[in-house]
Amino acid sequence: MSKTTPDATRTPPAGDEDLGAAGSQLSTAPEDTLSMPSLGVIGWARWFWRQLTSMRVALLLLLLLSLGAIPGSLIPQSGTDETKVADFRKANPTLGDLYDKLGLFHVYSSVWFSAIYILLFVSLIGCIIPRTWQFVGQLRGRPPGAPKRLTRLPAYTTWRTETEPEQVREAALALLKKRRFRAHLAGDAVAAEKGYLREVGNLAFHIALIVMLIAFAWGQLFKMEGNKLIVEGGGFSNTLTQYDDFKSGSLFTADDLDPFSFNLKDFQGTYEKSGPNRGTARTFQASVTYSVGAFGKGKKTLIKVNEPLEIGDSKVYLTAHGYAPVITVRDGKGNVVYHDAVPLLPLDSNITSSGVVKVMDGYRDAKGERQQLGFEAFFLPTYTPGNEVSSTFPALGNPVLNLAGYYGDLGVDSGVPQSVYQLDKTHLKEFKDAKGQQQRENLRPGETMKLPNGAGSITYESTEEWANFQVTRQPGSGWALAGSIAAIFGLAGSLFIQRRRVWVRAVKGDDGITVVEMAGLGRSESAKVPEELGALAETLYDQAPGASDAGRVEPDSVSDSDSATAAERPGN
Amino acid sequence: MTLAATTDLAAATNEHLANLSNTLIYSAMAVYTLAFFAYITEWIFGSRSKIGRTAAALTADPAARKAAPAVTVKKGGSTAVLERPKVVVRAAAGQRDVPDGPGAHGGDEQGDLYGRIAVSLTVLAFLIELAGVIARAASVERAPWGNMYEFNITFSTVAVGVYLSLLALKKNVRWMGLFLITSVLLDLGIAVTVLYTASDQLVPALHSYWLYIHVSTAILCGAVFYVGAVSTILYLFKDSYESKLAGGGKPGKFATSFLERLPASSSLDKFSYRVNAAVFPLWTFTIIAGAIWAGDAWGRYWGWDPKETWAFITWVAYACYLHARATAGWKGRKAAYLALIAFGCWLFNYYGVNIFVSGKHSYAGV
Ligand code: HEM
């Protein structure tokens, strides 16, 4: 299981073994030891826990998490696009069944995906807690004393000086403390360490991950999302029954709805009039008055595409827009039986729209019999002669409403829910013109289409605009944001701060001249450690200048020297 | 002037700018091509030199190796330099002590000259391309990343910018020039042929300053990740080359000539780690900025849209890489493979998701 062969790529922090305590605890990363469990339930449980909280398993779980996220991006997901899932099932029934069993249509809430991240976070917590304790211990303790042979360290320098060893050590201690090292005197050497913030950052980052996960889970359970289409002049108050459609997390209740209401006064859309970008929206905004609570005072505001209105925990987004021609229907006697703005659904970016008008009751035909009427409406906000099927510009340039009528039974009383944008034509008959074709006319604002045989008329009065609003509530997002900001800072601290140690040893040689040795150790090999050591050595050298040139020992040639402490060449 | 006339005039200016941008991009491609040949020439001249530092360092008998001069870092003022203590740097236990190669020119003077010409041409092409990107932005009156064409031209500009900045900071990266310019040419080639889209406006959902933050940092991260990936690949080659030498093998002539000039594998490894680690927090920030933008535009900050999912996968993959570096047994080659997989995820998120997967982010325009 564990790799025991020495391997050039397996490098413990520089010379871990031979440095002993000096090289230890330069981080709080757990050791990867893979021993077989001792027998017994507790032995196994302990073994399992140790496995789960090891870096190796954390790495495996992380890998699994990224692999597990892939299918969700390639297979249609029921959470985002239910119709696509249905299409897929229809096209591949067997594969669909298999996917169903594996939860592949809802990967991110499937058992196996949840298992991966829950294990990962258990591992994370099991890893953070001991690491935090260990770190607190390191903070309370002192940097480990100098190893016997400083020459073995990744950065090393030495010189000889007339200054007394005690003085050198004292100067070194003062210097290191001034440079914000934690330093103390241990035996014949000064031991110092710096960069503890790296560990703080690393722990903060991992804790922030947990905060983010909890915030996200919380948000999923208590979220809500509803849609409401409002024609200019219309209003909305935030209760379940007023929504056109509504979705919520499993722990959400109607009591969680923030009490507020608003009215759409005006929708404004302006569009690029010419050039290559003709038709692209320039402004897109809804002016509304809203009030908070049951008796709140009305306030005016603008809602734009990326600028929702925030009320309490709820946000109101402007998500879509279209036209609602104002229609009046009269019966044979000229009585108004219907008068309303009819929202039509846009079909393309130039807002070619379609929809239906349903006259449910109040209408009597020429013979005085109760009937229901239905009209199919097709609308071009800018009609250009020669292009009958689609609008050529999204604004109201030359609006034309095309209507075709039906009479009979709309089937709305059958109990089956019906779309307000479609006609159920099973019990409807077409109004026919003189030639026996379905009567179909293009109307401009103010124009009226007379229905055949004194059946009445339908008038296109004017055009209103409508806007669709999405109301969402996603609790926990503040925590998620706070967590992510903490994660970034923690990460930056963890990656950019070096934790390193410096030792300064000063002892009197046999010839009565003091030998100063300095060495630095970082957690990972870095050019900064020797550079910093160089700078420190320079300063210290000024306070303990080199002995006469004759006795000077170049580090490059220390192997020729008989000095006991510097007898070993670097590079061994 | 009537309003219509003003807007017509504006439209004409915009079209003029769009055409200017196209011309500039093509010119930049031409200059990059010249730079490409200059880099090639540098490499060719460099092959004349017969340097075998790696071999010398690795195959010399242990006793001789001990006597090899230690690397020193000089420190201190100009006059007193000889007096000052020198810092001896020692490779960590278990790591090969191999000196860095001299660069593409291989120490050859003429090669070096061509290398310098190549860098100058790269600077020139970079400026032209930058002008092209700016003209494009001016023509559409917004940031130049509304579709894949614009994204591609901006991306390669930033990648070259990162390379030139590293050069300006006196980092040892000139060896990367040939690989970088090759892929920049590829990137621009794809941009002008397959991805080209006439300038057009953004849909309102794309109007947000978070978008500017999100996409600009995404482009920067991509460029830096790319630099990291190039050095990771070269690390893998150089590392096998060094292992082969250390094991007594004899690599091919081409491999020798090519790889001898690159930095030592440990330097390449360190470089790619630093590059990847340095942008990882920025990549984290990019994803969070994207989530904030999604929260403003669509009413939910995270919805497992394919683009979001792949950004997450890329993030986790890079986190794996960083973890792997911290875990004994996963350093070196294994970690390098993870880095390449992570970069593959980034590439897929850009090309794959835009082209093959439909989602809210489909702004590909192809
Ligand atoms: C949710 C999953 C996790 C993610 C996304 C993650 C991410 C990261 C990242 C990006 C780093 C690099 C920062 C650095 O090098 O200082 C890191 C470091 C580290 N992680 Fe995690 N981690 C996760 C879970 C864990 C777990 C479960 C453990 C414990 C077993 C763990 C232990 C560590 C340690 C000890 C380091 C620092 C290594 C060092 O000192 O260089 N992480 N993590």
Side-chain angles (χ1 to χ4, degrees), chain B residues 74-89:
Chain B
K74 282 202 194 76
K75 269 278 145 194
S78 47
T79 49
V81 110
L82 287 176
E83 307 256 306
R84 306 271 155 169
K86 280 184 192 162
V87 175
V88 181
V89 184

Side-chain angles (χ1 to χ4, degrees), chain A residues 370-448:
Chain A
R370 276 180 179 282
Q371 287 273 18
Q372 289 181 322
L373 298 182
F375 296 89
E376 277 177 337
F378 188 69
F379 180 71
L380 309 179
T382 299
Y383 165 73
T384 312
N387 188 353
E388 315 293 326
V389 292
S390 60
S391 169
T392 52
F393 195 71
L396 285 178
N398 179 21
V400 165
L401 181 66
N402 178 283
L403 289 167
Y406 299 84
Y407 61 97
D409 181 359
L410 290 169
V412 283
D413 308 321
S414 61
V416 183
Q418 248 194 11
S419 162
V420 292
Y421 301 105
Q422 268 168 2
L423 285 180
D424 173 4
K425 292 183 203 154
T426 34
H427 302 292
L428 289 176
K429 290 200 189 89
E430 298 174 354
F431 282 116
K432 309 248 178 189
D433 62 13
K435 287 184 212 143
Q437 301 265 309
Q438 183 176 23
Q439 186 194 21
R440 194 173 264 289
E441 273 182 38
N442 281 346
L443 302 183
R444 286 163 203 282
E447 289 184 350
T448 299

Side-chain angles (χ1 to χ4, degrees), chain A residues 27 29-30 53-55 58 62 120-121 123-124 127 131 198 202 205-206 209 491 494-495 523, chain B residues 280 315 319 322-323 326:
Chain A
S27 91
T53 55
S54 71
M55 290 282 288
L62 265 174
L120 182 58
F121 278 85
S123 158
L124 187 50
C127 169
R131 283 183 58 202
R198 175 209 163 89
N202 189 277
F205 167 71
H206 286 89
L209 288 181
L491 198 55
S494 172
L495 289 169
R523 206 179 109 60
Chain B
F280 186 71
W315 185 80
L322 293 179
H323 252 225

Side-chain angles (χ1 to χ4, degrees), chain A residues 171-182:
Chain A
L173 190 65
L175 170 68
L176 285 163
K177 281 197 168 152
K178 209 172 126 209
R179 298 276 169 94
R180 312 254 296 286
F181 276 82
R182 284 182 70 210

Side-chain angles (χ1 to χ4, degrees), chain B residues 145 151 154-155 158 210-226 279 282-287 289-290 307 311 343 346 349-350 363:
Chain B
W145 46 61
F151 198 95
T154 312
F155 178 73
V158 174
W210 280 109
L211 168 80
Y212 289 73
I213 297 172
H214 170 65
V215 184
S216 58
T217 51
I219 289 175
L220 183 61
C221 288
V224 180
F225 280 145
Y226 171 72
V279 282
L282 190 65
W283 179 240
T284 313
F285 171 77
T286 301
I287 295 178
K307 198 99 192 176
F343 185 69
W346 194 90
N349 195 15
Y350 176 48
Y363 56 85

Side-chain angles (χ1 to χ4, degrees), chain A residues 148 282 327 418 434:
Chain A
K148 260 214 191 90
R282 277 295 186 190
I327 303 281
Q418 248 194 11

